[in-house]
Amino acid sequence: KQEVTQIPAALSVPEGENLVLNCSFTDSAIYNLQWFRQDPGKGLTSLLLIQSSQREQTSGRLNASLDKSSGRSTLYIAASQPGDSATYLCAVKPDRQLTFGSGTQLTVLP
Amino acid sequence: NAGVMQNPRHLVRRRGQEARLRCSPMKGHSHVYWYRQLPEEGLKFMVYLQKENIIDESGMPKERFSAEFPKEGPSILRIQQVVRGDSAAYFCASSPPGVGVGYTFGSGTRLTVV
């Protein structure tokens, strides 16, 4: 059974810092990995999708990497801003549906 | 191009009543997924549907819960005789066909059972 773990569970940083969020999964047989952002009381916004054959994806200040063999992904956020404060969720697709981690709650202090 | 539309956004039901949650997938998406997020917990898969077919319902509670995705109209998640433990945020996602595609989520329906 696929399990997804995200570390740390919560992170607080001053504005302007670069930061890394970590995601690990137990079964490397995945089709893709997707990073989402969830604001309090809101839905999920897709940030980046990495196919199993890819090593990384970039969008603006965000960069996600995937090392399938070791079961790890990282989300790098450059020059963090208060507007980046949210919960970041990692999800892998081993089969027909996504399996989610519990998320990292990020607070960027002005 | 509207995203995944869920309604209602908030739903309050008394114990024993029925709750109906609706989801209209993105245009061009034929696959619908329902997830539940309990307070202080992660997102858990419930059911995966295509038009007129339930593909995977391994995450659905065995009783009181049902889902459908008819040929015409939105997908419906139905909860009969709701209990307090059903209070949660219910999210719908859609995707086009294909194993490597990403999911688009709706804003969710927050169900409160009083």
Side-chain angles (χ1 to χ4, degrees), chain A residues 1 31-32 34 36 38-46 49-51 89 93 95-103, chain B residues 9-10 33 35 37 41-45 48 55-56 58 91 95 98-108 110:
Chain A
K1 180 186 171 187
Y31 290 111
N32 59 42
Q34 201 165 354
F36 295 89
Q38 185 176 27
D39 293 279
K42 305 289 186 183
L44 279 71
T45 300
S46 179
L49 170 68
I50 310 177
Q51 301 294 344
L89 297 163
K93 189 177 181 186
D95 198 343
R96 292 174 167 146
Q97 24 90 0
L98 291 176
T99 300
F100 281 86
S102 297
Chain B
R9 292 292 300 274
H10 300 274
Y33 313 83
Y35 285 77
Q37 188 173 40
E41 291 190 22
L43 281 143
K44 303 296 183 188
F45 168 77
Y48 161 36
I55 307 301
D56 182 352
S58 58
F91 291 96
S95 76
V99 295
V101 297
Y103 289 22
T104 301
F105 277 80
S107 298
R110 279 147 187 85

Side-chain angles (χ1 to χ4, degrees), chain B residues 2-17:
Chain B
V4 177
M5 305 301 292
Q6 288 189 250
N7 65 82
R9 292 292 300 274
H10 300 274
L11 182 62
V12 179
R13 284 288 177 265
R14 295 187 183 278
R15 280 179 295 173
Q17 289 185 321

Side-chain angles (χ1 to χ4, degrees), chain B residues 5 7 21-26 29-30 32 34 49-52 68-77 92:
Chain B
M5 305 301 292
N7 65 82
L21 288 62
R22 295 174 187 77
C23 169
S24 295
M26 280 188 69
H29 287 192
S30 56
V32 166
W34 286 93
L49 310 106
Q50 296 177 21
K51 287 283 187 183
E52 298 183 284
E68 62 176 5
F69 189 16
K71 187 176 179 181
E72 301 290 338
S75 175
I76 306 288
L77 179 66
C92 170

